[in-house]
Amino acid sequence: VHVFQGDAGEWASKSLSRSKKQNHGPGRSASDTSKNCWYSQHYRVLLVDPPRMGLDRKVCELAMSGPFEHVIYVSCGRRALKGDLDILGKEF
């Protein structure tokens, strides 16, 4: 089990950037694919506890394009949850 705790927006940005570099080939550094980089890991479950305004756009993009089989969403904001579910519900 691998767990990452931190800013989901930062993780999504770095993960999406890494994914684009891998798809385009050259220019990728060894550190981009190191198993020690938290954003280079492949996770099956995405657990998010977003702020009241909802998930960052990049987190939604990563959730839908990433390797995730499940998303666990903790919410205290009804409006944000509905908006995020409208987006994520298309993939999950």
Side-chain angles (χ1 to χ4, degrees):
V1 173
H2 297 278
V3 176
F4 166 72
Q5 177 183 353
D7 183 273
E10 177 187 357
W11 177 62
S13 293
K14 288 186 176 187
S15 294
L16 289 168
S17 174
R18 175 191 49 83
S19 176
K20 288 176 185 172
K21 285 181 182 178
Q22 285 179 349
N23 290 338
H24 292 116
R28 185 173 76 199
S29 72
S31 64
D32 289 337
T33 58
S34 168
K35 289 194 177 225
N36 295 327
C37 291
W38 51 265
Y39 54 86
S40 293
Q41 302 296 313
H42 293 282
Y43 298 94
R44 292 177 25 190
V45 177
L46 177 62
L47 169 66
V48 293
D49 184 1
R52 289 190 189 275
M53 65 183 179
L55 289 173
D56 181 277
R57 180 186 55 82
K58 290 204 179 267
V59 175
C60 287
E61 183 182 338
L62 180 66
M64 293 186 300
S65 66
F68 307 106
E69 297 173 20
H70 306 281
V71 174
I72 300 171
Y73 189 113
V74 178
S75 177
C76 61
R78 219 178 4 202
R79 288 186 185 128
L81 173 62
K82 183 187 178 325
D84 289 342
L85 288 178
D86 287 345
I87 295 168
L88 296 174
K90 297 171 187 171
E91 294 292 324
F92 294 95

